[in-house]
Amino acid sequence: MATGAASSSSLVVDEEDEILMLYGSESGWVEPKTRCDHLVSLSSDLTHIPTPDTPCNRCQHPTENWLCLCCKEVLCSRFVNKHMLEHYKLTNHSLALSFSDLSVWCFSCNAYLDAEVIMPLQSVHFTAYILKFNEPPPLRAMECVQITDNRADSSTSRN
């Protein structure tokens, strides 16, 4: 913060929050990553997780909470009291699942991760979905993949 700047932290938007607002969740559609180098830090048991209505472990805020996918602590978002962001800065636990929309965020990559595509995240996404909606998630439509028919090419070369 520049010298002589206001000391009120409620008026100050730090650079990280400003970047998130410009390029993250506040800007509209964000394409989640389909790979991440920080998955090695995932908890070994992501099938047994707290329920989505679990309040923040620090301030007891009831909504906008995230699950740390490394230690399974539930903490509030950067839009509440920033306890999950503080947790990342203190522990370097990069991966968290939002109980609001079941998205997965990697703090180190500064990006959302596609939990339905990334194999190590599929079980926690599935479990969180069932805990939140009392039913399994709908099957995700497979993305179109263009497949060429090699048989047509090979049949013309047999002459």
Side-chain angles (χ1 to χ4, degrees):
M1 190 185 304
T3 307
S7 64
S8 174
S9 63
S10 64
L11 298 177
V12 176
V13 176
D14 65 19
E15 186 177 327
E16 187 173 326
D17 285 341
E18 188 174 347
I19 289 170
L20 180 67
M21 285 187 266
L22 289 173
Y23 301 106
S25 61
E26 296 296 317
S27 67
W29 176 253
V30 176
E31 188 70 33
K33 291 176 63 167
T34 57
R35 61 174 302 279
C36 173
D37 293 334
H38 306 99
L39 297 172
V40 296
S41 65
L42 286 172
S43 168
S44 61
D45 178 19
L46 289 175
T47 55
H48 298 94
I49 60 171
T51 59
D53 60 350
T54 303
C56 174
N57 289 348
R58 295 205 187 132
C59 69
Q60 302 306 308
H61 195 277
T63 60
E64 287 292 322
N65 293 316
W66 290 72
L67 171 68
C68 175
L69 296 179
C70 303
C71 69
K72 299 198 285 187
E73 188 167 2
V74 176
L75 299 163
C76 63
S77 78
R78 66 178 76 230
F79 301 113
V80 178
N81 291 317
K82 300 184 181 191
H83 289 136
M84 185 56 77
L85 180 60
E86 290 173 7
H87 177 71
Y88 160 67
K89 289 178 180 178
L90 289 172
T91 64
N92 204 32
H93 289 176
S94 300
L95 303 163
L97 173 113
S98 166
F99 279 140
S100 295
D101 63 5
L102 304 182
S103 61
V104 174
W105 179 259
C106 178
F107 287 96
S108 295
C109 292
N110 201 29
Y112 286 103
L113 304 180
D114 193 331
E116 293 180 73
V117 171
I118 300 172
M119 186 72 72
L121 297 176
Q122 289 176 348
S123 67
V124 72
H125 180 267
F126 185 84
T127 301
Y129 194 98
I130 289 175
L131 289 171
K132 185 169 180 139
F133 299 110
N134 293 317
E135 62 183 57
L139 292 176
R140 184 172 173 177
M142 295 300 292
E143 294 180 17
C144 294
V145 178
Q146 185 176 1
I147 301 173
T148 58
D149 187 355
N150 291 334
R151 290 178 293 155
D153 293 336
S154 62
S155 65
T156 57
S157 62
R158 288 183 184 165
N159 294 338

